[in-house]
Structures are given as structure tokens and as C-alpha cells.
Amino acid sequence: MKPRIKNSLGLLLGWLGMISPCQSHISYVSRDLGSLDPLHPQVVVLSSQTVTSDFGWASGTDPNLGDSHKLRAFKFFLSNPGDLQIRVEGLSFIKGSLPISPLLRPAFSVYQGLAHEAPAALDHDSSVISALYNDTAYGVGNWQGSFRSLGDWKIGNDDGSSFSDLSSFTHVGHAADGSAANYGAAAGIFGDGNADGMVVRTLSLNSGFYSLFIGGAQYYDLLNTGGDATGSYGFSVTLTTIPEPSSSGLFVASAALALVLRRRFSSGRSSTP
Ligand SMILES: [Ca+2]
Ligand SMILES: [Ca+2]
């Protein structure tokens, strides 16, 4: 190959290498929901979010897993154990000058653990170590990606050389809009039974770091035939802490009850002849 052509090819490959990862790797940039304390009331909302298919979550419920590019990853930290309500709602909005249609059947899964974050290289399904792990765990080539909606999964970056380098996600809960009519027949799916474009569920969680993956709950088939893999679907996500009634609240309630009983007792005694 002539040096000039070789150099041009090298530049092109370098350029492709620079632009392709940002669209395909797992990232929490602009999607960090922050730190929440379930002992205190707190609400965090992220609107105008998009995902590039309507089937990403549902695809991860079947035996060949799902392509993690077809979901959005968020992260949050819980400073105490407690109850957290997660609500995802399909949302239409204007992005730049483009109209974004709503994600009609949203779903989410929550995992303990985080993906690699910068300055580390970011995780993706087609890294050598991800592919080796998936080939080993699920059969050579028998996977569309690394994402599992209903169980634990692992994924690695381009620097990973052994399975111990993989990021690990431990499934702690999930929920899907609608029913098996849209999300498919996999066993164990927690559906809300009402395909109205919104799904909400409260989970009891330990303290720690969590990843939240959101995607479409419209199942097609093992190859996603008929699904739109390149669209842009809008949604919002809301986290709400659900504190248990505090001991001070219980004290106030018991004191009020005692006062009412005392008054009833006093009035009953005074009316006795
Ligand atoms: Ca699949
Ligand atoms: Ca619903």
C-alpha cells in the first residue's frame, strides 16, 4: 500500500474509532440521579430523556439477552436502606427542532453496581472481554448483547483482559408497563397490567450505588423483527423516597389518641348520675 493511501486509511480508522464509542458505550453522563436518603422525603426528576428503540428492555427478557445500546443507563446512590419509588413515563417533546415521540411501553430494571466510568474506558457489548464472557456463559454467538432485564449480568471495556475486570450488575428489581400482550411471555416479569405509557414501582433497597436501565417493553421476537432499532423515544424518570412514619410522628399520633380517649372518658364520667 502506498504511504499516502495508508496514512489516509489510518486517519479514517482513527476518526471512526473516535466517534463510534460515544454512541454505543454505557455512560451515566447527564444521567446521574444523585444521592438520595430514604429516611427523608426527596424527589428527583429527569425529563426529556430518549432511548433508541421501543424493545430494548423486552429483548433482555429472552434467552439471547439484549443489546445494551437499546437502553439508557442512569445511576444513583442511597445513603441509607429504605423504600424508593421509581416512576418512568413515556413523554413527547421537541429536541432541537425534532419532535420526539413517547416511549409507549416503558420498563426499567435496577441493579446493584455500576459500569466503568471515565477516566476508565467505557463498557460495551462487543468488547473482547464482554464477547468472551457471553460466549462462555450463554453459548458461542448465542447473544444479542450483554443486557438481562430479569437477572444479573456482566459487561466489560476494551481494557478488560479477564472476567474479574468485568462490571457486575446484580438485579434487585424491575417493572414493565402493560402485560404479556406487549412485553412477551418470559416468566417472572412484574407487569403493572395497564398499558398506559407509565410504570411505577416501589422497591426496598439497601444503601449503596445503583444502576437503573430504562428501555422499551414492546417484545417482537428473538431477532426483534418488526422493531424499530433506530428511532428516538422520549420518557421521564422520577425517583421518590418513601420514608417510614418517624418515631416522632408516631408519638404525636399516640398523644392525640390518648387526648381523645381521655376527653371521652371524662365526658362519660361527668354524665353519669
Ligand atoms: Ca433478545
Ligand atoms: Ca402502566
Side-chain angles (χ1 to χ4, degrees):
M1 188 179 292
K2 290 179 180 175
R4 219 167 73 184
I5 297 175
K6 191 177 174 182
N7 288 343
S8 303
L9 186 59
L11 281 172
L12 177 64
L13 290 174
W15 181 71
L16 287 172
M18 281 170 64
I19 61 165
S20 58
C22 29
Q23 299 184 359
S24 54
H25 297 182
I26 294 175
S27 166
Y28 306 109
V29 172
S30 303
R31 290 187 293 278
D32 182 356
L33 291 155
S35 177
L36 296 99
D37 182 356
L39 300 183
H40 298 96
Q42 198 173 347
V43 180
V44 181
V45 183
L46 275 182
S47 298
S48 304
Q49 301 297 305
T50 58
V51 65
T52 57
S53 83
D54 62 349
F55 59 79
W57 187 90
S59 179
T61 65
D62 65 21
N64 67 5
L65 292 78
D67 180 346
S68 68
H69 310 145
K70 303 289 185 286
L71 300 106
R72 282 292 188 214
F74 299 77
K75 73 172 184 177
F76 60 89
F77 176 74
L78 286 191
S79 57
N80 278 297
D83 291 344
L84 183 70
Q85 184 193 76
I86 299 168
R87 175 190 167 99
V88 182
E89 185 165 12
L91 186 73
S92 60
F93 60 94
I94 304 293
K95 186 178 182 182
S97 58
L98 290 176
I100 303 292
S101 51
L103 180 62
L104 291 179
R105 301 289 169 258
F108 64 82
S109 291
V110 183
Y111 309 86
Q112 283 181 315
L114 297 176
H116 286 104
E117 294 181 81
L122 303 182
D123 296 328
H124 63 110
D125 299 276
S126 54
S127 71
V128 171
I129 197 65
S130 295
L132 185 60
Y133 175 76
N134 289 338
D135 279 348
T136 306
Y138 305 106
V140 176
N142 187 32
W143 46 275
Q144 294 174 315
S146 304
F147 177 75
R148 293 182 71 209
S149 315
L150 310 174
D152 304 344
W153 56 289
K154 294 174 185 283
I155 191 168
N157 61 20
D158 288 333
D159 293 334
S161 57
S162 75
F163 292 164
S164 63
D165 296 326
L166 295 165
S167 302
S168 292
F169 298 109
T170 304
H171 179 270
V172 294
H174 68 271
D177 185 31
S179 65
N182 57 274
Y183 55 63
I189 296 179
F190 183 93
D192 70 9
N194 182 14
D196 59 355
M198 190 275 285
V199 62
V200 58
R201 189 178 185 190
T202 299
L203 299 172
S204 293
L205 301 173
N206 292 320
S207 57
F209 284 100
Y210 289 89
S211 295
L212 168 66
F213 282 80
I214 296 175
Q218 183 62 54
Y219 190 74
Y220 291 95
D221 55 35
L222 278 175
L223 298 177
N224 305 316
T225 308
D228 178 3
T230 59
S232 194
Y233 297 91
F235 65 90
S236 67
V237 54
T238 306
L239 301 188
T240 306
T241 57
I242 312 288
E244 290 184 4
S246 67
S247 53
S248 59
L250 282 174
F251 175 78
V252 170
S254 342
L257 181 62
L259 186 62
V260 169
L261 290 175
R262 194 180 305 137
R263 281 182 178 161
R264 283 190 181 167
F265 179 74
S266 303
S267 64
R269 195 168 52 183
S270 61
S271 64
T272 305

mmCIF file of all heavy atoms in Angstrom, residues 136-154:
data_model
loop_
_atom_site.group_PDB
_atom_site.id
_atom_site.type_symbol
_atom_site.label_atom_id
_atom_site.label_comp_id
_atom_site.label_asym_id
_atom_site.label_seq_id
_atom_site.Cartn_x
_atom_site.Cartn_y
_atom_site.Cartn_z
ATOM 1 N N THR A 136 -18.976 -17.738 26.774
ATOM 2 C CA THR A 136 -18.768 -18.755 27.805
ATOM 3 C C THR A 136 -20.051 -19.021 28.591
ATOM 4 O O THR A 136 -20.406 -20.170 28.880
ATOM 5 C CB THR A 136 -17.664 -18.300 28.781
ATOM 6 O OG1 THR A 136 -16.500 -17.980 28.037
ATOM 7 C CG2 THR A 136 -17.338 -19.384 29.800
ATOM 8 N N ALA A 137 -20.758 -17.950 28.929
ATOM 9 C CA ALA A 137 -21.930 -18.085 29.802
ATOM 10 C C ALA A 137 -23.182 -18.526 29.047
ATOM 11 O O ALA A 137 -24.019 -19.242 29.607
ATOM 12 C CB ALA A 137 -22.192 -16.762 30.514
ATOM 13 N N TYR A 138 -23.328 -18.114 27.788
ATOM 14 C CA TYR A 138 -24.601 -18.329 27.082
ATOM 15 C C TYR A 138 -24.471 -19.144 25.800
ATOM 16 O O TYR A 138 -25.460 -19.419 25.136
ATOM 17 C CB TYR A 138 -25.252 -16.976 26.769
ATOM 18 C CG TYR A 138 -25.429 -16.121 28.003
ATOM 19 C CD1 TYR A 138 -24.604 -15.021 28.239
ATOM 20 C CD2 TYR A 138 -26.379 -16.445 28.965
ATOM 21 C CE1 TYR A 138 -24.733 -14.256 29.391
ATOM 22 C CE2 TYR A 138 -26.518 -15.693 30.117
ATOM 23 C CZ TYR A 138 -25.691 -14.607 30.320
ATOM 24 O OH TYR A 138 -25.820 -13.866 31.462
ATOM 25 N N GLY A 139 -23.242 -19.507 25.423
ATOM 26 C CA GLY A 139 -23.031 -20.241 24.178
ATOM 27 C C GLY A 139 -22.486 -19.314 23.107
ATOM 28 O O GLY A 139 -22.912 -18.163 23.012
ATOM 29 N N VAL A 140 -21.557 -19.840 22.317
ATOM 30 C CA VAL A 140 -20.866 -19.010 21.325
ATOM 31 C C VAL A 140 -21.863 -18.376 20.351
ATOM 32 O O VAL A 140 -22.620 -19.068 19.673
ATOM 33 C CB VAL A 140 -19.827 -19.849 20.551
ATOM 34 C CG1 VAL A 140 -19.182 -19.026 19.444
ATOM 35 C CG2 VAL A 140 -18.761 -20.378 21.512
ATOM 36 N N GLY A 141 -21.864 -17.052 20.326
ATOM 37 C CA GLY A 141 -22.710 -16.312 19.389
ATOM 38 C C GLY A 141 -24.181 -16.293 19.742
ATOM 39 O O GLY A 141 -24.993 -15.696 19.031
ATOM 40 N N ASN A 142 -24.557 -16.913 20.852
ATOM 41 C CA ASN A 142 -25.974 -17.030 21.203
ATOM 42 C C ASN A 142 -26.439 -15.846 22.047
ATOM 43 O O ASN A 142 -27.111 -16.016 23.052
ATOM 44 C CB ASN A 142 -26.206 -18.342 21.963
ATOM 45 C CG ASN A 142 -27.685 -18.600 22.207
ATOM 46 O OD1 ASN A 142 -28.523 -18.214 21.400
ATOM 47 N ND2 ASN A 142 -27.991 -19.227 23.319
ATOM 48 N N TRP A 143 -26.033 -14.657 21.646
ATOM 49 C CA TRP A 143 -26.436 -13.483 22.428
ATOM 50 C C TRP A 143 -26.449 -12.240 21.525
ATOM 51 O O TRP A 143 -25.646 -12.118 20.616
ATOM 52 C CB TRP A 143 -25.481 -13.263 23.610
ATOM 53 C CG TRP A 143 -24.032 -13.376 23.248
ATOM 54 C CD1 TRP A 143 -23.286 -14.519 23.187
ATOM 55 C CD2 TRP A 143 -23.162 -12.309 22.849
ATOM 56 N NE1 TRP A 143 -22.009 -14.238 22.796
ATOM 57 C CE2 TRP A 143 -21.900 -12.885 22.581
ATOM 58 C CE3 TRP A 143 -23.313 -10.928 22.714
ATOM 59 C CZ2 TRP A 143 -20.804 -12.116 22.170
ATOM 60 C CZ3 TRP A 143 -22.227 -10.165 22.308
ATOM 61 C CH2 TRP A 143 -20.988 -10.768 22.045
ATOM 62 N N GLN A 144 -27.415 -11.355 21.803
ATOM 63 C CA GLN A 144 -27.522 -10.105 21.046
ATOM 64 C C GLN A 144 -26.749 -8.984 21.714
ATOM 65 O O GLN A 144 -26.455 -7.965 21.105
ATOM 66 C CB GLN A 144 -29.002 -9.693 20.939
ATOM 67 C CG GLN A 144 -29.823 -10.650 20.124
ATOM 68 C CD GLN A 144 -31.301 -10.307 20.141
ATOM 69 O OE1 GLN A 144 -31.868 -10.019 21.185
ATOM 70 N NE2 GLN A 144 -31.925 -10.347 18.980
ATOM 71 N N GLY A 145 -26.483 -9.171 23.007
ATOM 72 C CA GLY A 145 -25.775 -8.168 23.786
ATOM 73 C C GLY A 145 -25.559 -8.736 25.166
ATOM 74 O O GLY A 145 -25.662 -9.960 25.366
ATOM 75 N N SER A 146 -25.290 -7.877 26.128
ATOM 76 C CA SER A 146 -24.980 -8.339 27.486
ATOM 77 C C SER A 146 -26.135 -8.121 28.461
ATOM 78 O O SER A 146 -26.084 -8.592 29.592
ATOM 79 C CB SER A 146 -23.761 -7.583 28.019
ATOM 80 O OG SER A 146 -22.658 -7.735 27.158
ATOM 81 N N PHE A 147 -27.159 -7.389 28.025
ATOM 82 C CA PHE A 147 -28.198 -6.919 28.956
ATOM 83 C C PHE A 147 -29.219 -8.003 29.288
ATOM 84 O O PHE A 147 -29.778 -8.643 28.404
ATOM 85 C CB PHE A 147 -28.928 -5.711 28.363
ATOM 86 C CG PHE A 147 -30.040 -5.219 29.232
ATOM 87 C CD1 PHE A 147 -29.774 -4.500 30.390
ATOM 88 C CD2 PHE A 147 -31.363 -5.503 28.915
ATOM 89 C CE1 PHE A 147 -30.813 -4.062 31.212
ATOM 90 C CE2 PHE A 147 -32.404 -5.062 29.724
ATOM 91 C CZ PHE A 147 -32.122 -4.343 30.872
ATOM 92 N N ARG A 148 -29.444 -8.173 30.613
ATOM 93 C CA ARG A 148 -30.507 -9.067 31.094
ATOM 94 C C ARG A 148 -31.469 -8.256 31.942
ATOM 95 O O ARG A 148 -31.068 -7.642 32.941
ATOM 96 C CB ARG A 148 -29.932 -10.209 31.918
ATOM 97 C CG ARG A 148 -29.071 -11.175 31.097
ATOM 98 C CD ARG A 148 -28.566 -12.310 31.963
ATOM 99 N NE ARG A 148 -29.644 -13.231 32.320
ATOM 100 C CZ ARG A 148 -29.665 -13.945 33.444
ATOM 101 N NH1 ARG A 148 -28.691 -13.835 34.324
ATOM 102 N NH2 ARG A 148 -30.673 -14.746 33.700
ATOM 103 N N SER A 149 -32.732 -8.265 31.582
ATOM 104 C CA SER A 149 -33.746 -7.482 32.294
ATOM 105 C C SER A 149 -34.096 -8.066 33.646
ATOM 106 O O SER A 149 -34.450 -7.338 34.576
ATOM 107 C CB SER A 149 -35.042 -7.424 31.473
ATOM 108 O OG SER A 149 -34.784 -7.151 30.141
ATOM 109 N N LEU A 150 -34.045 -9.413 33.743
ATOM 110 C CA LEU A 150 -34.622 -10.093 34.906
ATOM 111 C C LEU A 150 -33.586 -10.780 35.781
ATOM 112 O O LEU A 150 -33.949 -11.502 36.703
ATOM 113 C CB LEU A 150 -35.661 -11.126 34.425
ATOM 114 C CG LEU A 150 -36.711 -10.607 33.436
ATOM 115 C CD1 LEU A 150 -37.580 -11.741 32.935
ATOM 116 C CD2 LEU A 150 -37.573 -9.525 34.084
ATOM 117 N N GLY A 151 -32.310 -10.600 35.487
ATOM 118 C CA GLY A 151 -31.277 -11.278 36.260
ATOM 119 C C GLY A 151 -29.971 -10.498 36.244
ATOM 120 O O GLY A 151 -29.887 -9.400 35.707
ATOM 121 N N ASP A 152 -28.948 -11.121 36.845
ATOM 122 C CA ASP A 152 -27.631 -10.476 36.918
ATOM 123 C C ASP A 152 -26.936 -10.542 35.556
ATOM 124 O O ASP A 152 -27.193 -11.453 34.763
ATOM 125 C CB ASP A 152 -26.759 -11.191 37.957
ATOM 126 C CG ASP A 152 -27.417 -11.244 39.332
ATOM 127 O OD1 ASP A 152 -28.377 -10.488 39.566
ATOM 128 O OD2 ASP A 152 -26.951 -12.055 40.168
ATOM 129 N N TRP A 153 -26.029 -9.624 35.299
ATOM 130 C CA TRP A 153 -25.238 -9.660 34.057
ATOM 131 C C TRP A 153 -23.925 -8.925 34.244
ATOM 132 O O TRP A 153 -23.727 -8.218 35.236
ATOM 133 C CB TRP A 153 -26.030 -9.104 32.875
ATOM 134 C CG TRP A 153 -26.593 -7.720 33.004
ATOM 135 C CD1 TRP A 153 -27.629 -7.333 33.800
ATOM 136 C CD2 TRP A 153 -26.181 -6.537 32.294
ATOM 137 N NE1 TRP A 153 -27.884 -5.986 33.630
ATOM 138 C CE2 TRP A 153 -27.009 -5.476 32.704
ATOM 139 C CE3 TRP A 153 -25.193 -6.279 31.337
ATOM 140 C CZ2 TRP A 153 -26.885 -4.186 32.216
ATOM 141 C CZ3 TRP A 153 -25.077 -4.985 30.831
ATOM 142 C CH2 TRP A 153 -25.912 -3.963 31.272
ATOM 143 N N LYS A 154 -23.046 -9.139 33.272
ATOM 144 C CA LYS A 154 -21.707 -8.535 33.320
ATOM 145 C C LYS A 154 -21.363 -7.966 31.951
ATOM 146 O O LYS A 154 -21.824 -8.469 30.922
ATOM 147 C CB LYS A 154 -20.654 -9.578 33.713
ATOM 148 C CG LYS A 154 -20.791 -10.108 35.141
ATOM 149 C CD LYS A 154 -19.788 -11.245 35.382
ATOM 150 C CE LYS A 154 -19.969 -11.887 36.757
ATOM 151 N NZ LYS A 154 -19.413 -11.069 37.838
#
